[in-house]
């Protein structure tokens, strides 16, 4: 994977505009950290042309579905110079944020304080998981007249 990255590659965080990981070392730290957390990684589609390609993948995080889109931009040398990540559903995306800070700090991609900032997302992830499992199924069952 590293061999496909431009020396100036930039990974744009799916979770916040505050983090952009620049350079092969930082991008690989993110990818390796994510791969250690995710299970059942499967690339289900790749589409694109020219400089822009999109990869769709499915994974699980703690037994819950997580889907990702990676928008890959290729530089003039044919290497990936930008990766923009999109992750859904929201409970899985926030759970990933809550878990990935410490490994990123250990790999030097974020300051050590990232492990504490990451922990701030834990209660948000719990609330979103609860709403997803208890509230959303009930909303889907409302009569059509109520949903309008």
């Amino acid at each position: 994977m590293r061999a496909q990255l431009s020396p100036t590659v930039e990974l744009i965080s799916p979770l916040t505009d505050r983090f952009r990981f620049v350079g092969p070392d930082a991008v690989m730290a993110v990818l390796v950290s994510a791969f250690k957390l995710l299970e059942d990684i499967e690339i289900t589609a790749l589409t694109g042309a020219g400089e822009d390609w999109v990869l769709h993948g499915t994974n699980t995080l703690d037994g819950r579905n997580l889907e990702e889109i990676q928008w890959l931009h290729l530089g003039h040398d044919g290497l990936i110079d930008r990766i923009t990540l999109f992750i859904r559903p929201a409970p899985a995306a926030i759970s990933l944020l809550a878990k990935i800070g410490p490994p990123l700090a250990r790999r030097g991609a974020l300051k050590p304080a990232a492990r504490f900032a990451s922990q701030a997302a834990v209660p948000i992830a719990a609330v979103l998981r609860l709403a997803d499992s208890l509230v959303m199924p009930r909303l889907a069952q409302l009569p059509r007249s109520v949903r309008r």
Side-chain angles (χ1 to χ4, degrees), residues 118-137:
S118 189
Q119 291 300 307
V122 170
I124 298 167
V127 168
L128 285 173
R129 282 192 307 272
L130 189 63
D132 193 48
S133 62
L134 297 177
V135 176
M136 294 305 171

Side-chain angles (χ1 to χ4, degrees), residues 28-144:
M28 287 305 299
V30 173
L31 296 175
V32 169
S33 296
F35 289 155
K36 291 200 180 269
L37 295 171
L38 300 172
E39 304 161 355
D40 305 320
I41 298 170
E42 183 179 345
I43 304 304
T44 58
L46 175 66
T47 187
E51 299 173 336
D52 292 296
W53 292 82
V54 176
L55 180 141
H56 175 259
T58 60
N59 318 275
T60 57
L61 177 66
D62 297 330
R64 296 182 181 267
N65 179 52
L66 182 143
E67 287 183 84
E68 67 176 288
I69 296 287
Q70 294 184 18
W71 176 12
L72 309 173
H73 183 269
L74 306 180
H76 297 295
D77 57 4
L79 297 175
I80 300 167
D81 65 4
R82 186 178 64 243
I83 303 170
T84 306
L85 293 177
F86 302 91
I87 298 177
R88 67 159 305 277
I94 300 303
S95 292
L96 183 60
L97 171 66
K99 292 176 176 273
I100 204 165
L104 287 175
R106 281 193 301 274
R107 288 182 172 82
L110 290 177
K111 293 180 180 176
R115 67 177 35 110
F116 303 111
S118 189
Q119 291 300 307
V122 170
I124 298 167
V127 168
L128 285 173
R129 282 192 307 272
L130 189 63
D132 193 48
S133 62
L134 297 177
V135 176
M136 294 305 171
R138 292 182 178 158
L139 293 177
Q141 297 172 0
L142 289 175
R144 187 175 287 255

